[in-house]
Coordinates of all heavy atoms in Angstrom, one line a residue:
M28 N 68.9 115.0 20.7 CA 69.2 115.7 19.4 C 70.2 115.0 18.6 O 71.1 114.4 19.1 CB 69.7 117.1 19.8 CG 69.7 118.1 18.7 SD 68.0 118.5 18.2 CE 68.3 119.2 16.6
F29 N 70.0 115.0 17.3 CA 71.0 114.4 16.4 C 71.3 115.3 15.3 O 70.6 116.2 15.0 CB 70.5 113.0 15.9 CG 69.2 113.2 15.0 CD1 69.3 113.4 13.7 CD2 67.9 113.1 15.6 CE1 68.1 113.5 12.9 CE2 66.8 113.2 14.9 CZ 66.9 113.4 13.5
N30 N 72.5 115.0 14.6 CA 72.9 115.8 13.5 C 72.5 115.1 12.2 O 72.1 113.9 12.2 CB 74.4 115.9 13.5 CG 74.9 116.8 14.6 OD1 74.3 117.8 15.0 ND2 76.0 116.4 15.2
S31 N 72.5 115.8 11.1 CA 72.2 115.3 9.8 C 73.3 115.7 8.8 O 73.8 116.8 9.0 CB 70.8 115.7 9.3 OG 69.8 115.2 10.1
V32 N 73.5 114.9 7.8 CA 74.4 115.2 6.7 C 73.8 114.8 5.4 O 73.0 113.9 5.3 CB 75.8 114.5 6.8 CG1 76.6 114.9 8.0 CG2 75.7 113.0 6.8
M33 N 74.1 115.6 4.4 CA 73.7 115.3 3.0 C 74.5 114.1 2.5 O 75.7 113.9 3.0 CB 73.8 116.5 2.1 CG 72.9 117.7 2.5 SD 71.2 117.3 2.5 CE 70.9 117.1 0.8
M34 N 74.1 113.4 1.5 CA 74.8 112.3 1.0 C 76.2 112.6 0.5 O 77.1 111.9 0.7 CB 74.0 111.6 -0.1 CG 74.7 110.3 -0.6 SD 75.2 109.1 0.6 CE 73.6 108.4 1.1
A35 N 76.4 113.8 -0.1 CA 77.7 114.2 -0.6 C 78.7 114.3 0.5 O 79.8 113.8 0.4 CB 77.6 115.5 -1.4
E36 N 78.3 114.8 1.6 CA 79.2 115.0 2.8 C 79.5 113.6 3.4 O 80.6 113.3 3.7 CB 78.6 115.9 3.8 CG 79.5 116.1 5.0 CD 78.9 117.1 6.0 OE1 77.9 117.7 5.8 OE2 79.5 117.1 7.1
F37 N 78.4 112.7 3.5 CA 78.6 111.4 4.0 C 79.6 110.6 3.1 O 80.5 109.9 3.7 CB 77.3 110.7 4.0 CG 77.4 109.2 4.3 CD1 77.6 108.8 5.6 CD2 77.2 108.3 3.3 CE1 77.7 107.4 5.9 CE2 77.3 106.9 3.6 CZ 77.6 106.5 4.9
E38 N 79.5 110.7 1.8 CA 80.4 110.0 0.9 C 81.8 110.5 1.1 O 82.8 109.7 1.1 CB 80.0 110.1 -0.5 CG 78.7 109.3 -0.8 CD 78.1 109.5 -2.2 OE1 78.4 110.6 -2.8 OE2 77.4 108.6 -2.7
Q39 N 82.0 111.8 1.4 CA 83.4 112.3 1.6 C 83.9 111.7 2.9 O 85.1 111.3 3.0 CB 83.4 113.8 1.7 CG 83.2 114.5 0.4 CD 83.2 116.0 0.5 OE1 83.2 116.5 1.6 NE2 83.2 116.7 -0.6
L40 N 83.1 111.7 4.0 CA 83.5 111.1 5.3 C 83.8 109.6 5.1 O 84.8 109.1 5.7 CB 82.4 111.3 6.3 CG 82.1 112.7 6.8 CD1 80.8 112.7 7.6 CD2 83.3 113.2 7.5
L41 N 83.0 108.9 4.3 CA 83.2 107.5 4.1 C 84.6 107.2 3.4 O 85.3 106.3 3.8 CB 82.1 106.9 3.3 CG 82.0 105.4 3.1 CD1 81.8 104.8 4.5 CD2 80.8 105.1 2.2
R42 N 85.0 108.1 2.5 CA 86.2 107.9 1.8 C 87.4 108.2 2.7 O 88.5 107.6 2.6 CB 86.3 108.8 0.6 CG 85.6 108.3 -0.6 CD 85.9 109.1 -1.9 NE 85.4 110.5 -1.8 CZ 84.1 110.8 -2.2 NH1 83.3 109.9 -2.6 NH2 83.8 112.1 -2.2
K43 N 87.2 109.1 3.7 CA 88.3 109.5 4.6 C 88.6 108.4 5.7 O 89.7 108.4 6.2 CB 87.9 110.8 5.3 CG 88.0 112.0 4.4 CD 87.7 113.2 5.2 CE 87.7 114.5 4.3 NZ 87.3 115.7 5.1
G44 N 87.6 107.7 6.1 CA 87.9 106.7 7.1 C 86.8 105.8 7.5 O 85.7 105.7 6.8
D45 N 87.0 105.1 8.6 CA 86.0 104.1 9.1 C 84.9 104.8 9.8 O 85.1 105.4 10.8 CB 86.8 103.2 10.0 CG 86.0 101.9 10.3 OD1 85.2 101.5 9.5 OD2 86.2 101.4 11.4
L46 N 83.7 104.6 9.3 CA 82.5 105.1 9.9 C 81.7 103.9 10.5 O 81.7 102.8 9.9 CB 81.6 105.8 8.9 CG 82.1 107.1 8.3 CD1 81.1 107.7 7.3 CD2 82.5 108.1 9.3
N47 N 80.9 104.1 11.6 CA 80.0 103.2 12.1 C 78.6 103.5 11.4 O 78.1 104.5 11.7 CB 79.9 103.3 13.6 CG 81.2 103.0 14.3 OD1 81.7 102.0 14.1 ND2 81.7 104.0 15.0
I48 N 78.2 102.6 10.6 CA 77.0 102.8 9.8 C 75.9 101.8 10.2 O 76.2 100.6 10.3 CB 77.3 102.6 8.3 CG1 78.4 103.6 7.8 CG2 76.0 102.8 7.5 CD1 79.0 103.3 6.5
I49 N 74.7 102.3 10.4 CA 73.6 101.5 10.7 C 72.6 101.7 9.6 O 72.2 102.8 9.3 CB 72.9 101.9 12.0 CG1 73.8 101.8 13.2 CG2 71.6 101.0 12.3 CD1 73.3 102.3 14.5
D50 N 72.2 100.6 8.9 CA 71.3 100.5 7.8 C 69.9 100.0 8.4 O 69.9 98.9 8.9 CB 71.8 99.6 6.7 CG 70.9 99.7 5.5 OD1 69.7 99.8 5.6 OD2 71.5 99.6 4.4
V51 N 68.9 100.9 8.4 CA 67.7 100.5 9.1 C 66.6 100.0 8.1 O 65.4 99.9 8.5 CB 67.1 101.7 9.9 CG1 68.1 102.1 11.0 CG2 66.7 102.9 9.1
R52 N 67.0 99.7 6.9 CA 66.0 99.2 5.9 C 65.6 97.7 6.3 O 66.3 97.1 7.1 CB 66.6 99.2 4.5 CG 66.8 100.6 4.1 CD 67.5 100.7 2.7 NE 68.8 100.0 2.8 CZ 69.4 99.5 1.7 NH1 68.9 99.5 0.5 NH2 70.6 98.9 1.9
E53 N 64.6 97.2 5.7 CA 64.2 95.8 5.9 C 65.3 94.9 5.3 O 66.1 95.3 4.4 CB 62.9 95.5 5.2 CG 61.7 96.3 5.9 CD 61.6 96.0 7.4 OE1 61.6 94.8 7.7 OE2 61.4 96.9 8.2
I54 N 65.3 93.6 5.7 CA 66.4 92.7 5.3 C 66.5 92.5 3.8 O 67.6 92.5 3.2 CB 66.2 91.3 6.0 CG1 67.5 90.4 5.8 CG2 65.0 90.6 5.6 CD1 68.8 91.0 6.3
D55 N 65.3 92.5 3.1 CA 65.4 92.3 1.6 C 66.0 93.5 1.0 O 66.8 93.4 0.0 CB 64.0 92.0 1.0 CG 63.0 93.0 1.3 OD1 63.0 93.7 2.4 OD2 62.2 93.3 0.4
E56 N 65.8 94.7 1.5 CA 66.4 95.9 0.9 C 67.9 95.9 1.2 O 68.7 96.2 0.3 CB 65.8 97.2 1.6 CG 64.3 97.4 1.3 CD 63.8 98.5 2.1 OE1 63.6 98.4 3.3 OE2 63.5 99.6 1.5
F57 N 68.3 95.5 2.4 CA 69.7 95.5 2.8 C 70.4 94.5 1.9 O 71.5 94.8 1.4 CB 69.8 95.1 4.3 CG 71.2 95.0 4.8 CD1 71.9 96.2 5.1 CD2 71.9 93.8 4.9 CE1 73.2 96.2 5.6 CE2 73.2 93.8 5.4 CZ 73.8 94.9 5.8
E58 N 69.9 93.3 1.7 CA 70.5 92.3 0.9 C 70.6 92.6 -0.6 O 71.5 92.2 -1.3 CB 69.8 90.9 1.1 CG 70.0 90.3 2.4 CD 69.2 89.0 2.6 OE1 68.3 88.7 1.8 OE2 69.5 88.3 3.6
S59 N 69.8 93.5 -1.0 CA 69.8 93.9 -2.4 C 70.9 95.0 -2.7 O 71.0 95.4 -3.9 CB 68.4 94.4 -2.9 OG 68.1 95.7 -2.3
G60 N 71.6 95.4 -1.7 CA 72.7 96.4 -1.9 C 72.9 97.3 -0.7 O 72.0 98.0 -0.3
H61 N 74.0 97.2 0.0 CA 74.3 98.0 1.1 C 75.8 98.4 1.1 O 76.6 97.8 0.4 CB 74.0 97.3 2.4 CG 74.7 96.0 2.6 ND1 74.3 94.8 2.1 CD2 76.0 95.7 3.2 CE1 75.2 93.8 2.4 NE2 76.2 94.4 3.0
I62 N 76.1 99.4 1.9 CA 77.5 99.9 2.1 C 78.3 98.9 2.8 O 77.8 98.4 3.9 CB 77.5 101.3 2.8 CG1 76.7 102.3 1.9 CG2 78.9 101.8 3.0 CD1 76.5 103.6 2.6
K63 N 79.5 98.6 2.3 CA 80.4 97.7 3.0 C 80.6 98.0 4.4 O 80.9 99.2 4.7 CB 81.7 97.6 2.2 CG 82.7 96.6 2.8 CD 84.0 96.5 2.1 CE 84.9 95.5 2.7 NZ 86.1 95.4 1.9
G64 N 80.4 97.1 5.3 CA 80.6 97.3 6.7 C 79.4 97.8 7.5 O 79.5 98.0 8.7
A65 N 78.4 98.1 6.8 CA 77.2 98.6 7.4 C 76.5 97.6 8.3 O 76.5 96.4 7.9 CB 76.1 99.1 6.4
Q66 N 76.1 98.0 9.5 CA 75.4 97.1 10.4 C 73.9 97.1 10.1 O 73.3 98.2 10.0 CB 75.7 97.5 11.8 CG 75.1 96.6 12.9 CD 75.5 97.1 14.3 OE1 76.2 98.1 14.5 NE2 75.1 96.3 15.3
H67 N 73.3 96.0 9.9 CA 71.9 96.0 9.6 C 71.0 95.8 10.9 O 71.2 94.8 11.6 CB 71.5 94.8 8.6 CG 70.0 94.8 8.4 ND1 69.2 93.8 8.9 CD2 69.2 95.6 7.7 CE1 68.0 94.0 8.5 NE2 67.9 95.1 7.8
I68 N 70.2 96.8 11.2 CA 69.3 96.8 12.2 C 68.0 97.4 11.7 O 67.9 98.6 11.6 CB 69.7 97.5 13.5 CG1 71.1 97.0 14.0 CG2 68.7 97.3 14.6 CD1 71.6 97.8 15.2
A69 N 67.0 96.6 11.3 CA 65.8 97.1 10.7 C 65.1 98.0 11.7 O 65.2 97.8 12.9 CB 64.8 96.0 10.4
L70 N 64.5 99.1 11.2 CA 63.8 100.1 12.0 C 63.0 99.5 13.2 O 63.2 99.9 14.3 CB 63.0 101.0 11.2 CG 62.2 102.1 11.9 CD1 63.2 103.1 12.6 CD2 61.3 102.9 11.0
G71 N 62.1 98.6 12.9 CA 61.2 98.0 13.9 C 61.9 97.2 14.9 O 61.3 96.9 16.0
T72 N 63.2 96.8 14.7 CA 63.9 96.0 15.7 C 64.9 96.8 16.5 O 65.6 96.2 17.3 CB 64.6 94.8 15.0 OG1 65.7 95.4 14.2 CG2 63.7 94.0 14.1
I73 N 65.0 98.1 16.3 CA 66.0 98.8 17.0 C 65.9 98.7 18.6 O 66.9 98.5 19.2 CB 66.0 100.3 16.6 CG1 66.6 100.4 15.2 CG2 66.8 101.2 17.5 CD1 66.6 101.7 14.5
P74 N 64.7 98.9 19.2 CA 64.7 98.8 20.6 C 65.2 97.5 21.2 O 65.8 97.4 22.2 CB 63.2 99.0 20.9 CG 62.7 99.8 19.8 CD 63.4 99.3 18.6
A75 N 65.0 96.4 20.4 CA 65.5 95.1 20.9 C 66.9 94.8 20.6 O 67.5 93.9 21.1 CB 64.6 94.0 20.2
N76 N 67.6 95.7 19.9 CA 69.0 95.5 19.5 C 69.9 96.6 20.0 O 71.0 96.8 19.5 CB 69.1 95.5 18.0 CG 68.6 94.2 17.4 OD1 69.2 93.1 17.6 ND2 67.5 94.2 16.8
L77 N 69.5 97.4 21.0 CA 70.3 98.4 21.6 C 71.6 97.9 22.1 O 72.6 98.6 22.2 CB 69.6 99.2 22.6 CG 68.4 100.1 22.1 CD1 67.7 100.8 23.3 CD2 68.9 101.1 21.1
D78 N 71.6 96.6 22.5 CA 72.8 96.0 23.1 C 73.9 95.8 22.1 O 75.1 95.6 22.4 CB 72.5 94.6 23.8 CG 71.9 93.6 22.8 OD1 71.2 94.0 21.8 OD2 72.1 92.4 23.0
K79 N 73.6 96.0 20.8 CA 74.6 95.9 19.7 C 75.3 97.2 19.5 O 76.3 97.3 18.7 CB 73.9 95.4 18.4 CG 73.4 94.0 18.5 CD 72.8 93.6 17.2 CE 72.2 92.2 17.2 NZ 71.6 91.8 16.0
L80 N 74.9 98.3 20.2 CA 75.5 99.6 20.0 C 76.2 100.1 21.2 O 75.9 99.6 22.3 CB 74.3 100.6 19.6 CG 73.5 100.2 18.4 CD1 72.4 101.2 18.2 CD2 74.3 100.1 17.1
E81 N 77.1 101.0 21.0 CA 77.9 101.5 22.1 C 77.7 103.0 22.2 O 77.7 103.7 21.2 CB 79.4 101.2 21.9 CG 79.7 99.7 21.9 CD 81.2 99.5 21.6 OE1 82.0 100.3 22.0 OE2 81.5 98.5 20.9
K82 N 77.4 103.5 23.4 CA 77.1 104.9 23.5 C 78.4 105.8 23.3 O 78.2 107.0 23.1 CB 76.5 105.2 24.9 CG 75.1 104.6 24.9 CD 74.3 105.1 26.1 CE 72.9 104.6 26.0 NZ 72.0 105.0 27.1
N83 N 79.6 105.3 23.3 CA 80.8 106.1 23.2 C 81.2 106.2 21.7 O 82.2 106.9 21.4 CB 81.9 105.6 24.0 CG 82.3 104.2 23.6 OD1 81.6 103.5 23.0 ND2 83.6 103.8 24.0
K84 N 80.4 105.6 20.8 CA 80.7 105.7 19.4 C 79.7 106.5 18.7 O 78.5 106.7 19.1 CB 80.7 104.3 18.7 CG 81.8 103.4 19.2 CD 81.7 102.1 18.4 CE 82.9 101.2 18.8 NZ 82.8 99.9 18.0
E85 N 80.1 107.1 17.5 CA 79.1 107.9 16.7 C 78.6 107.0 15.6 O 79.4 106.3 15.0 CB 79.8 109.1 16.1 CG 78.9 109.9 15.2 CD 79.6 111.2 14.7 OE1 80.5 111.0 13.8 OE2 79.3 112.3 15.2
Y86 N 77.3 107.0 15.3 CA 76.7 106.2 14.3 C 76.1 107.0 13.2 O 75.4 108.0 13.5 CB 75.7 105.2 14.9 CG 76.3 104.2 15.8 CD1 76.3 104.4 17.2 CD2 76.8 103.0 15.3 CE1 76.9 103.5 18.1 CE2 77.3 102.1 16.2 CZ 77.4 102.3 17.6 OH 77.9 101.4 18.4
H87 N 76.3 106.6 11.9 CA 75.6 107.3 10.8 C 74.5 106.3 10.4 O 74.8 105.1 10.2 CB 76.6 107.5 9.6 CG 77.5 108.6 9.8 ND1 78.6 108.5 10.7 CD2 77.6 109.8 9.3 CE1 79.2 109.7 10.7 NE2 78.6 110.5 9.8
V88 N 73.3 106.8 10.4 CA 72.1 106.0 10.2 C 71.5 106.3 8.8 O 71.3 107.5 8.5 CB 71.1 106.3 11.3 CG1 69.8 105.4 11.1 CG2 71.7 106.0 12.7
L89 N 71.2 105.3 8.0 CA 70.6 105.5 6.7 C 69.6 104.5 6.4 O 69.5 103.4 7.0 CB 71.7 105.6 5.6 CG 72.6 104.4 5.4 CD1 72.0 103.4 4.4 CD2 73.9 104.9 4.7
C90 N 68.7 104.8 5.5 CA 67.7 103.9 5.0 C 67.6 104.1 3.4 O 68.7 104.3 2.8 CB 66.3 104.2 5.6 SG 65.7 105.9 5.3
L91 N 66.5 104.0 2.8 CA 66.4 104.2 1.4 C 66.4 105.7 1.0 O 67.1 106.1 0.1 CB 65.1 103.5 0.8 CG 64.9 103.6 -0.7 CD1 66.1 102.9 -1.4 CD2 63.6 103.0 -1.1
S92 N 65.5 106.5 1.7 CA 65.4 107.9 1.3 C 65.7 108.9 2.4 O 65.9 110.1 2.1 CB 64.0 108.1 0.8 OG 63.0 108.0 1.8
G93 N 65.7 108.4 3.7 CA 66.0 109.4 4.8 C 64.9 109.4 5.8 O 65.1 110.0 6.9
A94 N 63.7 108.9 5.5 CA 62.5 109.0 6.4 C 62.7 108.1 7.6 O 62.6 108.5 8.8 CB 61.2 108.8 5.7
R95 N 62.9 106.8 7.3 CA 63.1 105.8 8.4 C 64.3 106.1 9.2 O 64.3 105.9 10.4 CB 63.2 104.4 7.8 CG 61.8 103.9 7.3 CD 61.9 102.5 6.7 NE 62.5 102.7 5.4 CZ 62.7 101.6 4.6 NH1 62.4 100.4 5.0 NH2 63.2 101.8 3.4
S96 N 65.4 106.6 8.6 CA 66.6 106.9 9.3 C 66.4 108.0 10.2 O 67.0 108.1 11.3 CB 67.8 107.1 8.4 OG 67.6 108.2 7.6
A97 N 65.6 109.0 9.8 CA 65.3 110.1 10.7 C 64.5 109.7 12.0 O 64.8 110.1 13.1 CB 64.5 111.2 10.0
M98 N 63.6 108.7 11.8 CA 62.9 108.2 12.9 C 63.8 107.4 13.8 O 63.8 107.6 15.1 CB 61.7 107.3 12.5 CG 60.6 108.0 11.8 SD 59.2 106.9 11.5 CE 59.7 106.1 10.0
A99 N 64.7 106.6 13.2 CA 65.6 105.8 14.0 C 66.6 106.7 14.7 O 66.9 106.5 15.9 CB 66.4 104.9 13.1
S100 N 67.1 107.8 14.0 CA 68.0 108.7 14.6 C 67.4 109.4 15.8 O 68.1 109.6 16.9 CB 68.4 109.8 13.6 OG 69.2 109.1 12.6
K101 N 66.2 109.8 15.7 CA 65.5 110.5 16.8 C 65.4 109.6 18.0 O 65.7 110.0 19.2 CB 64.1 111.0 16.4 CG 63.3 111.6 17.5 CD 61.9 112.1 17.0 CE 61.2 112.8 18.2 NZ 59.8 113.2 17.8
Y102 N 65.0 108.3 17.8 CA 64.9 107.4 18.9 C 66.2 107.1 19.5 O 66.3 107.1 20.8 CB 64.2 106.1 18.4 CG 64.2 105.0 19.5 CD1 63.2 105.0 20.4 CD2 65.1 104.0 19.5 CE1 63.2 104.1 21.4 CE2 65.1 103.0 20.5 CZ 64.1 103.1 21.5 OH 64.1 102.1 22.4
L103 N 67.2 106.8 18.7 CA 68.6 106.5 19.3 C 69.2 107.7 20.0 O 69.8 107.5 21.1 CB 69.5 106.0 18.1 CG 69.2 104.7 17.6 CD1 69.9 104.4 16.3 CD2 69.5 103.6 18.6
A104 N 69.0 108.9 19.5 CA 69.5 110.1 20.2 C 68.8 110.2 21.6 O 69.4 110.6 22.6 CB 69.3 111.3 19.4
Q105 N 67.5 109.9 21.6 CA 66.8 110.0 22.9 C 67.3 109.0 23.9 O 67.2 109.2 25.1 CB 65.2 109.8 22.7 CG 64.6 110.9 22.0 CD 63.1 110.6 21.6 OE1 62.7 109.5 21.5 NE2 62.4 111.7 21.3
Q106 N 67.9 107.9 23.4 CA 68.4 106.8 24.3 C 69.9 107.2 24.7 O 70.5 106.4 25.4 CB 68.4 105.5 23.6 CG 67.0 105.0 23.1 CD 65.9 105.2 24.1 OE1 66.0 104.7 25.2 NE2 64.8 105.9 23.8
G107 N 70.4 108.3 24.2 CA 71.7 108.7 24.6 C 72.9 108.4 23.6 O 74.0 108.5 24.0
Y108 N 72.5 107.9 22.4 CA 73.5 107.6 21.4 C 73.9 108.8 20.6 O 73.1 109.7 20.4 CB 73.0 106.5 20.5 CG 72.9 105.2 21.2 CD1 71.6 104.8 21.8 CD2 73.9 104.3 21.4 CE1 71.5 103.6 22.5 CE2 73.8 103.1 22.1 CZ 72.5 102.8 22.6 OH 72.4 101.6 23.4
K109 N 75.2 108.8 20.1 CA 75.7 109.9 19.2 C 75.3 109.5 17.8 O 75.8 108.5 17.2 CB 77.2 110.0 19.3 CG 77.7 110.3 20.7 CD 79.2 110.3 20.8 CE 79.6 110.3 22.2 NZ 81.0 110.0 22.4
I110 N 74.4 110.2 17.2 CA 73.8 109.8 15.9 C 73.9 110.9 14.9 O 73.7 112.1 15.1 CB 72.3 109.5 16.1 CG1 72.1 108.4 17.1 CG2 71.6 109.2 14.8 CD1 72.7 107.1 16.7
V111 N 74.1 110.5 13.6 CA 74.1 111.4 12.4 C 73.2 110.7 11.4 O 73.4 109.6 11.0 CB 75.5 111.6 11.8 CG1 75.5 112.5 10.6 CG2 76.5 112.1 12.9
N112 N 72.1 111.4 11.1 CA 71.2 110.9 10.1 C 71.7 111.3 8.7 O 72.2 112.4 8.4 CB 69.8 111.6 10.2 CG 68.8 111.1 9.2 OD1 68.7 109.9 8.9 ND2 68.1 112.1 8.7
V113 N 71.8 110.3 7.8 CA 72.2 110.5 6.4 C 71.0 110.8 5.5 O 70.2 109.8 5.2 CB 73.0 109.3 5.9 CG1 73.5 109.5 4.5 CG2 74.2 109.0 6.9
M114 N 70.8 112.0 5.1 CA 69.7 112.4 4.3 C 69.9 111.9 2.9 O 71.0 111.9 2.4 CB 69.5 113.9 4.4 CG 69.2 114.4 5.8 SD 68.8 116.2 5.9 CE 70.4 116.9 5.4
G115 N 68.8 111.5 2.3 CA 68.8 111.0 0.9 C 68.9 109.5 0.9 O 68.5 108.9 -0.1
G116 N 69.6 108.9 1.9 CA 69.7 107.5 2.0 C 70.3 106.8 0.8 O 71.0 107.4 0.0
M117 N 70.1 105.5 0.7 CA 70.7 104.7 -0.4 C 70.2 105.1 -1.8 O 71.0 104.9 -2.7 CB 70.4 103.2 -0.1 CG 71.1 102.6 1.0 SD 72.9 102.7 0.9 CE 73.2 101.5 -0.4
S118 N 69.1 105.7 -1.9 CA 68.6 106.2 -3.2 C 69.5 107.3 -3.7 O 69.6 107.5 -4.9 CB 67.2 106.6 -3.2 OG 67.0 107.7 -2.3
A119 N 70.3 108.0 -2.9 CA 71.2 109.0 -3.3 C 72.6 108.6 -3.3 O 73.5 109.3 -3.8 CB 71.0 110.2 -2.3
Y120 N 72.9 107.4 -2.8 CA 74.3 106.9 -2.6 C 74.8 106.4 -4.0 O 74.1 105.7 -4.7 CB 74.3 105.7 -1.6 CG 75.7 105.1 -1.4 CD1 76.7 105.9 -0.8 CD2 76.0 103.8 -1.9 CE1 78.0 105.3 -0.6 CE2 77.2 103.3 -1.7 CZ 78.2 104.0 -1.1 OH 79.4 103.4 -0.9
R121 N 76.0 106.8 -4.4 CA 76.6 106.5 -5.7 C 77.8 105.6 -5.6 O 78.5 105.4 -6.6 CB 76.9 107.8 -6.4 CG 75.7 108.7 -6.7 CD 74.7 108.0 -7.7 NE 73.5 108.7 -7.8 CZ 72.3 108.3 -7.4 NH1 72.2 107.1 -6.9 NH2 71.2 109.0 -7.6
G122 N 78.2 105.2 -4.4 CA 79.4 104.4 -4.2 C 79.1 102.9 -4.4 O 78.0 102.5 -4.9
D123 N 80.1 102.1 -4.2 CA 80.1 100.7 -4.3 C 79.1 100.1 -3.2 O 79.1 100.6 -2.1 CB 81.4 100.0 -4.2 CG 82.4 100.4 -5.3 OD1 81.8 100.7 -6.4 OD2 83.6 100.5 -5.1
V124 N 78.5 99.0 -3.6 CA 77.7 98.3 -2.6 C 78.0 96.8 -2.6 O 78.6 96.3 -3.5 CB 76.1 98.4 -2.9 CG1 75.7 99.9 -2.8 CG2 75.8 97.9 -4.3
E125 N 77.7 96.2 -1.5 CA 77.8 94.7 -1.3 C 76.4 94.1 -1.3 O 75.4 94.8 -1.0 CB 78.4 94.4 0.1 CG 79.9 94.7 0.1 CD 80.5 94.2 1.4 OE1 79.8 94.0 2.4 OE2 81.7 93.9 1.4
F126 N 76.3 92.9 -1.7 CA 75.0 92.2 -1.7 C 75.0 91.1 -0.7 O 76.0 90.6 -0.3 CB 74.7 91.7 -3.1 CG 74.8 92.8 -4.1 CD1 75.9 93.1 -4.8 CD2 73.6 93.5 -4.4 CE1 75.9 94.1 -5.8 CE2 73.6 94.6 -5.3 CZ 74.8 94.8 -6.0
G127 N 73.8 90.7 -0.3 CA 73.6 89.6 0.7 C 73.8 90.2 2.1 O 73.7 91.4 2.3
R128 N 74.0 89.3 3.1 CA 74.1 89.8 4.5 C 75.5 90.2 4.7 O 76.0 90.7 5.5 CB 73.7 88.7 5.4 CG 72.2 88.4 5.3 CD 71.8 87.3 6.3 NE 70.4 87.0 6.0 CZ 69.5 87.0 7.0 NH1 69.8 87.1 8.2 NH2 68.2 86.7 6.7

């Protein structure tokens, strides 16, 4: 089981402190604008990249609109990770972004 937050709540949490963010979009989407500090793990590569994650940390997962992040969140939660799905994704995000990798 995983939790979900709306983008407005996520943006408040982001302003308050350091979050562990996983961006599950494809590399070209990530490079065209992502949240500073977000870790890029494309949805299709998550099973092969579980070694990059720690089960004692909480991760906020996002994509473009929320569909892929919901799939990733379900899978990661089933593997025992603490997951929060960010609904609305980058299409709803109004903060600063970084470009490139």
Side-chain angles (χ1 to χ4, degrees):
M28 192 69 197
F29 62 89
N30 293 320
S31 294
V32 294
M33 297 297 292
M34 182 52 72
E36 184 179 348
F37 171 76
E38 288 174 336
Q39 288 178 354
L40 292 170
L41 191 58
R42 282 191 292 273
K43 286 181 182 177
D45 191 31
L46 297 180
N47 299 303
I48 302 167
I49 301 172
D50 189 320
V51 299
R52 297 176 297 156
E53 295 299 318
I54 188 66
D55 59 324
E56 295 174 288
F57 182 79
E58 289 178 347
S59 69
H61 59 271
I62 297 170
K63 182 179 181 178
Q66 182 176 2
H67 176 251
I68 305 176
L70 177 62
T72 69
I73 288 175
N76 285 290
L77 291 178
D78 61 330
K79 295 181 179 178
L80 305 176
E81 299 175 34
K82 290 192 175 179
N83 63 340
K84 292 185 177 180
E85 179 179 72
Y86 294 94
H87 285 73
V88 181
L89 59 85
C90 63
L91 181 63
S92 65
R95 287 177 283 180
S96 63
M98 288 187 283
S100 294
K101 180 179 179 182
Y102 176 79
L103 289 167
Q105 288 172 341
Q106 305 311 307
Y108 293 91
K109 300 173 192 166
I110 299 299
V111 179
N112 179 45
V113 181
M114 297 185 295
M117 290 299 290
S118 62
Y120 180 68
R121 299 294 173 242
D123 293 332
V124 296
E125 288 187 332
F126 301 95
R128 290 182 187 227

